[in-house]
């Protein structure tokens, strides 16, 4: 049974309670009429007078033009009053409980939706971050590929000098099979001269076996 069917069933139950209570309350007019007529009450001479007295009593209007004279009649009116009020209170309580329960359920559903949306947004943010990182990585790789057209190896200092003095080193990486300190030991000014030639001929970078890596650019010109 879904929520709509439950609400319909509850509404039918409330309607039945109200109808039965009103029937009992109105039905009290018959014994009220018989009791008061038998007692000779001049205010209750017809059945409509009994209905009228019952109505103004249950509605708490109480004009005072017609009054019950017998204890049984008063007991009937009191019983009808409590019956209608109790049924009304039950209906109001049940309706209020239904409305509050529906409101709480809607709030819970709204919280669940907000939680799901927040989770989806975090997942989308994470995916966008990964895509951006992959894009930057690919862009960096392509930039390096464009900047570096190839790679040469220099087995000795003279080989390095020959490579940097020619246009062959343009956009290429030169890996030296010796340490950078070997250049300084031979001639402190030699490394500066090699760098100038490499920059002038457009070399991309030079690396050494000791881990030194120098990227050639005009800013490195000394």
């Amino acid at each position: 049974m879904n929520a709509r069917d439950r609400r319909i069933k509850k509404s039918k139950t409330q309607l039945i309670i109200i109808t039965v209570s009103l029937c009992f309350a109105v039905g009290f007019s018959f014994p009220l009429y018989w009791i008061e007529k038998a007692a000779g009450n001049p205010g209750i001479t017809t059945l409509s007078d009994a209905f009228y007295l019952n109505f103004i009593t249950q509605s708490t209007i109480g004009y005072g033009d017609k009054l019950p004279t017998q204890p049984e009649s008063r007991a009937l009116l009191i019983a009808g009053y409590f019956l209608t009020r109790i049924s009304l209170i039950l209906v109001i309580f049940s309706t209020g409980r239904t409305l509050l329960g529906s409101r709480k359920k809607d709030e819970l559903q709204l919280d669940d939706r907000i939680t799901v949306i927040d989770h989806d947004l975090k997942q989308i943010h994470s995916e966008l971050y990964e895509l951006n990182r992959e894009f930057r990585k690919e862009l960096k790789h392509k930039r390096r590929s464009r900047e570096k057209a190839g790679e040469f190896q220099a087995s000795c200092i003279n080989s390095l000098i020959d490579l940097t003095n020619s246009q062959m080193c343009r956009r290429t990486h030169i890996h030296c099979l010796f340490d950078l300190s070997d250049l300084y030991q031979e001639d402190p000014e030699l490394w500066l001269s090699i760098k100038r030639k490499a920059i002038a001929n457009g070399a991309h970078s030079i690396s050494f076996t000791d881990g030194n890596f120098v990227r050639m650019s005009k800013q490195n010109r000394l």
Side-chain angles (χ1 to χ4, degrees), residues 13-28:
T13 303
Q14 294 172 356
L15 182 60
I16 292 172
I17 292 174
I18 294 175
T19 304
V20 172
S21 300
L22 290 176
C23 289
F24 272 105
V26 173
F28 288 160

Side-chain angles (χ1 to χ4, degrees), residues 72-124:
E72 295 85 354
S73 300
R74 297 190 184 98
L76 287 173
L77 292 174
I78 292 172
Y81 177 85
F82 279 108
L83 182 63
T84 54
R85 292 310 180 274
I86 291 173
S87 63
L88 183 62
I89 291 172
L90 289 175
V91 170
I92 292 174
F93 176 77
S94 178
T95 303
R97 185 177 179 182
T98 302
L99 293 175
L100 289 176
S102 177
R103 182 176 179 181
K104 289 181 178 180
K105 186 176 181 180
D106 292 339
E107 290 177 354
L108 290 175
Q109 291 178 349
L110 181 60
D111 291 339
D112 292 339
R113 291 172 186 170
I114 292 174
T115 303
V116 171
I117 292 173
D118 182 63
H119 178 269
D120 291 342
L121 288 175
K122 289 181 178 179
Q123 187 173 1
I124 292 172

Side-chain angles (χ1 to χ4, degrees), residues 199-211:
I199 292 171
N201 289 318
H204 179 270
S205 55
I206 301 175
S207 63
F208 299 86
T209 55
D210 57 2

Side-chain angles (χ1 to χ4, degrees), residues 160-186:
L160 175 61
I161 294 172
D162 291 339
L163 286 171
T164 54
N165 285 336
S166 67
Q167 291 293 325
M168 292 175 59
C169 70
R170 182 174 179 79
R171 294 175 60 193
T172 61
H173 170 69
I174 303 173
H175 179 65
C176 301
L177 301 179
F178 52 87
D179 296 343
L180 179 60
S181 59
D182 296 339
L183 285 171
Y184 285 106
Q185 290 176 1
E186 184 168 332

Side-chain angles (χ1 to χ4, degrees), residues 147-167:
E147 291 176 352
K148 185 174 68 173
E151 182 174 332
F152 291 105
Q153 284 189 352
S155 59
C156 60
I157 296 175
N158 290 332
S159 178
L160 175 61
I161 294 172
D162 291 339
L163 286 171
T164 54
N165 285 336
S166 67
Q167 291 293 325

